[in-house]
Structures are given as C-alpha cells and as structure tokens.
Amino acid sequence: MPDSMSEQLQQDMQCEGLLECFHGLKQLDKECFRALVNAEEPMTVDEIAETVDRERSTAYRSVQRLLQTGFIQKDQINYDQGGYYHVYYPTDPSQIADDMQRMLNDWYAKMGQLIQEFETKYEQAETPTPVES
C-alpha cells in the first residue's frame, strides 16, 4: 500500500481496497468476507476455512478481525441436546458504508484541525525576509 496520501490518491483503487484502507484488513480477511457474501446461508469457521483453503485457526483469526470491524455478524446456534456453535454472515452493506462514511468524516475533521494547528503554529513564527542582491 502507498505510504503518502498523494500516492494513495494517484493509485487505481478498487472498492475492496477500502477494507484495507479503512480497517487494515489483510488479503485473507477480504477472501473470508467475500466467501460469506457469496454464501447462500451463514457459515461456520470450518466452512469458511474450507472455502478459502486455510487452516481453521488462520480463518478464525480473520473472522475475528472482520467481527471487530463490524463487517460480519455472529449468531449462536444451540443444539437440542446441549452445546452450541457459531455461524457468521455479512453485515448489511449499507450499514458498512454508513460506518465508513462516518469514519471518513471524523478523519476529515481531524485533518482539518491538524492543518489549522499547523497554520497557526508556523504563522506565528517570524518568516525571514529575503535578502536582496
């Protein structure tokens, strides 16, 4: 990923790049999310791991990152004889988009504040006058 903002603006970004840009999600996280989006019903971690061809523990870590960012939801399914398991499904895309828009607005406000602080700090400093030859 590019380091500076100007590099980011020049890069040809896809919508999935937002997942990385906003939340630092990794390639596997995006693959797990895509698997859940393409599934017809909620999936277990084992099913997700099989779909993305990874070990269960690796897929589980990815699922946890997706849960923390709010990209997926979790439901508990109880067995009649006791015990339970979890299934995962994608969050409504409009809710994810709203969350990213809020985050972008917060970031924009923070950057505006920092730019104002920069201007105030360096405006107060004496600017040397150029020496005429």
Side-chain angles (χ1 to χ4, degrees):
M1 180 160 200
D3 293 326
S4 72
M5 185 184 303
S6 62
E7 289 174 330
Q8 288 181 30
L9 291 172
Q10 292 173 12
Q11 132 184 35
D12 182 27
M13 185 180 280
Q14 304 277 323
C15 67
E16 287 81 13
L18 290 175
L19 304 179
E20 182 180 351
C21 184
F22 274 75
H23 295 286
L25 297 182
K26 301 173 182 178
Q27 182 62 35
L28 178 60
D29 303 336
K30 292 187 278 187
E31 290 174 23
C32 290
F33 181 69
R34 202 170 302 116
L36 287 165
V37 167
N38 293 333
E40 293 182 15
E41 56 187 43
M43 299 173 73
T44 65
V45 171
D46 290 330
E47 292 168 334
I48 296 168
E50 185 177 326
T51 302
V52 297
D53 195 29
R54 297 294 177 96
E55 293 290 325
R56 183 190 194 287
S57 60
T58 303
Y60 179 79
R61 285 190 297 276
S62 195
V63 165
Q64 291 306 304
R65 281 189 293 273
L66 290 167
L67 276 170
Q68 288 175 337
T69 58
F71 283 95
I72 65 173
Q73 304 292 311
K74 171 174 77 170
D75 279 342
Q76 179 175 306
I77 307 296
N78 296 315
Y79 292 114
D80 292 336
Q81 65 274 21
Y84 64 90
Y85 63 98
H86 292 114
V87 292
Y88 303 88
Y89 56 94
T91 301
D92 180 347
S94 62
Q95 182 180 340
I96 294 171
D98 288 347
D99 291 344
M100 286 193 290
Q101 186 63 57
R102 272 192 294 283
M103 187 180 292
L104 179 61
N105 292 343
D106 292 347
W107 180 86
Y108 185 79
K110 179 66 175 174
M111 291 303 106
Q113 178 184 1
L114 291 173
I115 290 169
Q116 184 61 50
E117 288 175 16
F118 173 85
E119 183 179 21
T120 302
K121 179 178 181 178
Y122 290 103
E123 196 173 64
Q124 293 173 354
E126 287 268 335
T127 307
T129 27
V131 179
E132 293 183 25
S133 349

